[in-house]
Amino acid sequence: MKRILLALVAAIAVSAPALADEALAKAKKCNTCHAVDKTKVGPSFKDMAKKYAGQKDAADKLATVIIKGNGAAMPPSPQVNDAEAKKLVAWILSLK
């Protein structure tokens, strides 16, 4: 019983940050234009992760786009602060 409980706690601890960041994306209305695994108005979060995989400046670049927009289809998101943008980007880049 103790092993099962420890395994459950470990599983929750590992998955909790991903769920929390997906919840943040929903709370900040990112899901209006984006979805985890399908294209909506904008690319899926997984497609963004693939596009920026291995790029050293990806986190900073994406955080800036989230906050300021990209001058094209992505509008600025003034409701997202710097810390939230970094958290969202870390989550996006972690998707496979």
Side-chain angles (χ1 to χ4, degrees), residues 2 22 37 39-40 44-46 53 57 60 76-77 81-82 90:
K2 193 173 187 178
E22 187 172 3
D37 57 2
T39 300
K40 290 175 81 173
S44 73
F45 294 126
K46 286 185 177 184
D57 62 341
D60 291 334
S77 303
N81 65 39
D82 288 338

Side-chain angles (χ1 to χ4, degrees), residues 37-59:
D37 57 2
K38 66 179 181 179
T39 300
K40 290 175 81 173
V41 174
S44 73
F45 294 126
K46 286 185 177 184
D47 286 344
M48 286 185 256
K50 287 178 191 173
K51 179 179 178 178
Y52 290 98
Q55 294 184 26
K56 292 180 185 178
D57 62 341

Side-chain angles (χ1 to χ4, degrees), residues 4-70:
I4 294 171
L5 182 59
L6 288 174
L8 180 61
V9 169
I12 291 169
V14 169
S15 64
L19 294 175
D21 296 332
E22 187 172 3
L24 179 60
K26 288 178 182 177
K28 296 300 178 176
K29 306 295 186 217
C30 302
N31 62 331
T32 301
C33 298
H34 303 281
V36 172
D37 57 2
K38 66 179 181 179
T39 300
K40 290 175 81 173
V41 174
S44 73
F45 294 126
K46 286 185 177 184
D47 286 344
M48 286 185 256
K50 287 178 191 173
K51 179 179 178 178
Y52 290 98
Q55 294 184 26
K56 292 180 185 178
D57 62 341
D60 291 334
K61 187 183 295 185
L62 285 172
T64 299
V65 169
I66 289 171
I67 294 170
K68 295 182 179 179
N70 66 1

